[in-house]
Amino acid sequence: MIPYASNTRTRRNLKALADAGWRILVTPENPVPPSGAGFGIDNGAWGAFKRQVPFDGNAFASLVERHGAAADFVIVPDIVAGGRESLEFSRSWLPRLIHIRNLLLPVQDAMDVREVSALLHSWPRVGVFLGGSTEYKLRTMYGWGMVAHSMCRWYHVGRVNTARRIRLALEAGADSIDGTSATMYSCTLPMLDSACRQPDRKSTR
């Protein structure tokens, strides 16, 4: 399982992450990937939601234009807590991102598994990004992992900031995770990194 940490300009934290082999998740608010580091692109919707500002589609599109070809994946724009409306919003962005080799569709509270599965069948290079509320994430993590891997798609779990949640993501078959804890508090990195290095349990599902 590949861990990603939120981007930062703090050199000490970036060095600690690089030494541990963690990759970086860049956003429109912090869009410059650290030199030499593997990275994914987040759409910035969660950050905009927390700051109570509108999602900046232009900033996201600009980030994808500059760095999308080199990114491990790009998370398709969504609407936080938007349910079916979010799914339709993400669907509207897919044609604009068709040139990206690995896209992740955010799933969250109130989304219908059948509708998501139908969209994935129509877009063979799209994987699953598990967002949503904490309760929803914990309740559905294993199920969305089954959906993703039954279709041979990448499965990423967002906002994973504790060793317990890392273990749950491993058990659910996550291919990658992201979180802010290792970025903000480098002292938590050894514990989180150790949890990520536990044996992969996909084969036991």
Side-chain angles (χ1 to χ4, degrees):
M1 187 172 73
I2 302 172
Y4 290 77
S6 300
N7 202 7
T8 177
R9 296 183 178 89
T10 304
R11 293 182 180 179
R12 182 185 65 181
N13 288 15
L14 284 174
K15 183 179 186 306
L17 291 166
D19 289 346
W22 282 49
R23 303 186 186 189
I24 300 298
L25 198 63
V26 301
T27 68
E29 300 82 46
N30 201 347
V32 181
S35 178
F39 66 96
I41 293 178
D42 189 9
N43 59 49
W46 174 251
F49 176 78
K50 290 196 299 181
R51 297 193 309 276
Q52 298 184 336
V53 298
F55 168 67
D56 191 341
N58 290 332
F60 168 73
S62 177
L63 172 57
V64 171
E65 183 177 354
R66 293 196 310 274
H67 299 296
D72 297 334
F73 55 75
V74 172
I75 301 171
V76 180
D78 62 325
I79 300 172
V80 176
R84 194 173 191 280
E85 183 183 0
S86 177
L87 183 62
E88 293 306 314
F89 183 62
S90 296
R91 191 195 307 271
S92 74
W93 271 89
L94 287 174
R96 299 175 58 179
L97 300 170
I98 191 60
H99 60 290
I100 301 299
R101 59 189 170 90
N102 193 14
L103 298 171
L104 297 181
L105 174 74
V107 296
Q108 52 187 296
D109 305 49
M111 282 196 179
D112 184 270
V113 172
R114 293 167 297 182
E115 289 187 307
V116 171
S117 297
L119 187 150
L120 294 177
H121 275 295
S122 300
W123 296 87
R125 287 187 293 172
V126 178
V128 175
F129 173 93
L130 179 58
S133 66
T134 298
E135 188 276 332
Y136 175 80
K137 188 188 304 289
L138 297 178
R139 177 168 52 83
T140 65
M141 190 183 297
Y142 192 91
W144 283 116
M146 293 181 66
V147 170
H149 287 287
S150 69
M151 302 175 69
C152 299
R153 306 300 174 86
W154 195 265
Y155 182 42
H156 182 102
V157 180
R159 299 200 322 274
V160 176
N161 290 304
T162 65
R164 174 180 177 272
R165 204 168 291 180
I166 287 173
R167 289 192 293 271
L168 292 175
L170 279 167
E171 292 172 356
D175 297 290
S176 56
I177 59 169
D178 74 80
T180 59
S181 180
T183 300
M184 297 175 65
Y185 311 104
S186 58
C187 61
T188 67
L189 179 58
M191 175 188 65
L192 298 176
D193 187 57
S194 176
C196 286
R197 296 179 185 277
Q198 295 302 307
D200 195 329
R201 304 183 186 182
K202 292 179 197 173
S203 60
T204 67
R205 298 197 311 156

